[in-house]
Amino acid sequence: MSLAVPVLPVVAVVALLALPHPPDGGPTPADAASALLVGWCVVRLLRQRRRPLSRTAAALFGLPVAGLALAAAGAASTESALTGLARYAQVFVLVPAAVLLLIRDRRDVRVLGWAFVGLAGWQGAVGVHQYLTGTGASYQGQPVRAVGTFGPQDVMGMAGAVSVGLVCALALALGRAPVRQRVVAAGCAVALLVPLALSFSRGAWIATAVTCAAQLVLAGARRALAVGAVAVAAGVLLVGGFGVGTALLEERIASISRVADAPDQSVTDRYALWAAATGMWGERPLTGVGLKGFPEYRDAHASLALSSASDTEGAGAGFRRQPLLSPHNMYLLVLSEQGLIGLLTLAGSWLALLVCAVRGLVRARRSASGLDCALLACGLLTWQLTDFAYADIGGPSTVLTAVTFGVAAWWALVGGREPQDTGGTVALGGGRAVAEVGAR
């Protein structure tokens, strides 16, 4: 147990996401724990007196800060500048860097992978119970939408947590761990398909399908065919045998192909928000309208088809009109508020991490070591970047995004460069390893 101590605070942050979240959308225990995580990492750095990051890592984490600082300077108020800068720094710089520094080797990545699976299992179990008992969030007038402990104000929260757990479970199942562990991981992946379906989240479905397909292809053709056959059989069993495919679910699936022909109100709102974000960017193409500026400029650029708020209720919360304060697309949110400069710096760092992670995956396949960690990290990054086309940061589940970026960053900058699994202890988590890589 002592060997896992440095990564336990990261596990604690993930575990705290299982707690019920305040309906007012205020800070959560996981947010507080992520701040403590960063503070504890800083204390360890000062005590060890070692260079924390290589030049490459410092550049990739520092690049978004430049764009954020410029966007903060153009914010409408000092409060908006500070709150926006703090949130972006938390999610994309501070927490991921702390996670990178606290992970020491691939065993820690596997521990975090199982922590993600555990969180997904808990949230999924709560979500299935909500569906079966009619205590979920409202969907088409019925309280059947599975939202876990995140509540109706963050309907994407449970879907994101379950999707991340499913991606990790599939990666662990495709690795070269003992057969028993791989069977358990595969079983978890299949079981998580149920709450993911009952979340009625089209964006999460698409991102998960894309990511799992990529993982199967990267793991090898033979495994892809075998696991694909199991997935099809499981889908037939769940839909045909147990009746998971309700009329509501079938209608939701069919709506994916009807986005341009008779779309529902949620799709209409999303298109209107995307158009508004594009209009803001056209007005200030380089720097955007400033951090936290989307709500203020939305009505001036949105069409009359946009409804200003969505109705939420159920899952223990009363009826509430929730304002639509973001475009529900991370790339367009950054483009509208931070301009082309902000998008290039932030998305550029993500793309660089993905390239480094995939290169590490190629090395892992050649050395026959660490394939599960490679698939896990690349899968998390692929899922997040795909989901950003349908969602953005906000709500209690945002902390999970920060941790996943940290895990992916460790593999991209440290773990993928190691020739094989090591049993030794690395001081400062990944800190010494990153410094050594940068010194080569």
Side-chain angles (χ1 to χ4, degrees):
M1 180 61 69
S2 61
L3 292 176
V5 167
V7 82
L8 288 182
V10 186
V11 175
V13 173
V14 176
L16 287 173
L17 287 167
L19 298 177
H21 304 288
D24 59 358
T28 66
D31 284 315
S34 69
L36 293 175
L37 176 72
V38 174
W40 188 54
C41 186
V42 170
V43 170
R44 286 173 58 84
L45 291 176
L46 294 176
R47 290 180 58 186
Q48 296 289 339
R49 297 180 180 178
R50 294 181 182 275
R51 187 177 70 180
L53 299 173
S54 68
R55 295 183 184 89
T56 302
L60 291 182
F61 283 118
L63 191 61
V65 177
L68 290 173
L70 185 61
S77 65
T78 303
E79 180 182 0
S80 297
L82 293 178
T83 56
L85 185 60
R87 190 59 161 168
Y88 274 95
Q90 173 202 16
V91 178
F92 299 119
V93 180
L94 298 178
V95 174
V99 173
L100 181 151
L101 292 169
L102 293 174
I103 295 177
R104 299 159 306 161
D105 52 38
R106 295 171 181 175
R107 292 175 301 179
D108 285 353
V109 172
R110 296 180 183 113
V111 169
L112 287 173
W114 283 110
F116 289 138
V117 175
L119 173 66
W122 166 250
Q123 292 289 354
V126 173
V128 171
H129 179 266
Q130 290 170 336
Y131 175 82
L132 294 176
T133 59
T135 57
S138 178
Y139 176 74
Q140 294 189 359
Q142 302 183 43
V144 295
R145 187 167 192 174
V147 292
T149 65
F150 292 99
Q153 281 72 41
D154 188 9
V155 293
M156 296 288 292
M158 189 212 76
V162 170
S163 298
V164 166
L166 196 158
V167 168
C168 291
L170 181 59
L172 294 168
L174 293 173
R176 296 181 174 87
V179 175
R180 181 178 300 179
Q181 292 184 29
R182 285 185 282 151
V183 170
V184 171
C188 291
V190 172
L192 290 174
L193 290 173
V194 177
L196 178 61
L198 299 180
S199 70
F200 296 101
S201 174
R202 292 169 294 198
W205 293 346
I206 294 172
T208 304
V210 170
T211 303
C212 291
Q215 287 179 305
L216 290 173
V217 171
L218 292 172
R222 301 170 88 185
R223 292 187 176 185
L225 292 174
V227 177
V230 172
V232 171
V236 172
L237 181 63
L238 291 173
V239 175
F242 295 109
V244 174
T246 63
L248 288 175
L249 182 57
E250 293 171 0
E251 189 280 332
R252 190 68 164 175
I253 295 174
S255 69
I256 295 177
S257 61
R258 294 202 311 265
V259 294
D261 181 21
D264 56 34
Q265 185 59 45
S266 64
V267 175
T268 300
D269 287 341
R270 184 159 300 191
Y271 282 169
L273 291 168
W274 289 1
T278 305
M280 295 178 202
W281 170 63
E283 186 178 295
R284 301 181 185 178
L286 288 180
T287 59
V289 297
L291 291 181
K292 296 288 186 179
F294 184 88
E296 181 179 351
Y297 289 85
R298 183 198 64 184
D299 292 341
H301 295 85
S303 67
L304 296 177
L306 175 66
S307 58
S308 59
S310 60
D311 299 337
T312 62
E313 64 178 327
F319 178 82
R320 179 180 176 183
R321 292 279 290 171
Q322 188 168 353
L324 300 175
L325 302 178
S326 73
H328 296 287
N329 180 304
M330 191 65 204
Y331 304 107
L332 290 178
L333 177 62
V334 174
L335 193 64
S336 62
E337 294 187 344
Q338 303 178 40
L340 191 59
I341 295 176
L343 182 63
L344 289 177
T345 55
L346 193 58
S349 68
W350 301 339
L351 182 59
L353 285 178
L354 181 60
V355 170
C356 293
V358 172
R359 290 174 62 185
L361 187 146
V362 173
R363 295 190 189 97
R365 289 192 60 178
R366 290 174 179 173
S367 63
S369 175
L371 180 61
D372 53 349
C373 296
L375 293 172
L376 189 151
C378 292
L380 289 178
L381 201 51
T382 301
W383 186 90
Q384 200 65 68
L385 297 184
T386 306
D387 186 64
F388 274 167
Y390 307 94
D392 48 50
I393 59 174
S397 58
T398 301
V399 176
L400 184 63
T401 300
V403 177
T404 58
F405 268 106
V407 175
W410 181 86
W411 173 261
L413 300 172
V414 183
R417 303 191 180 195
E418 296 176 1
Q420 59 186 4
D421 288 297
T422 57
T425 301
V426 180
L428 279 181
R432 178 186 293 176
V434 179
E436 290 175 352
V437 169
R440 292 175 184 173

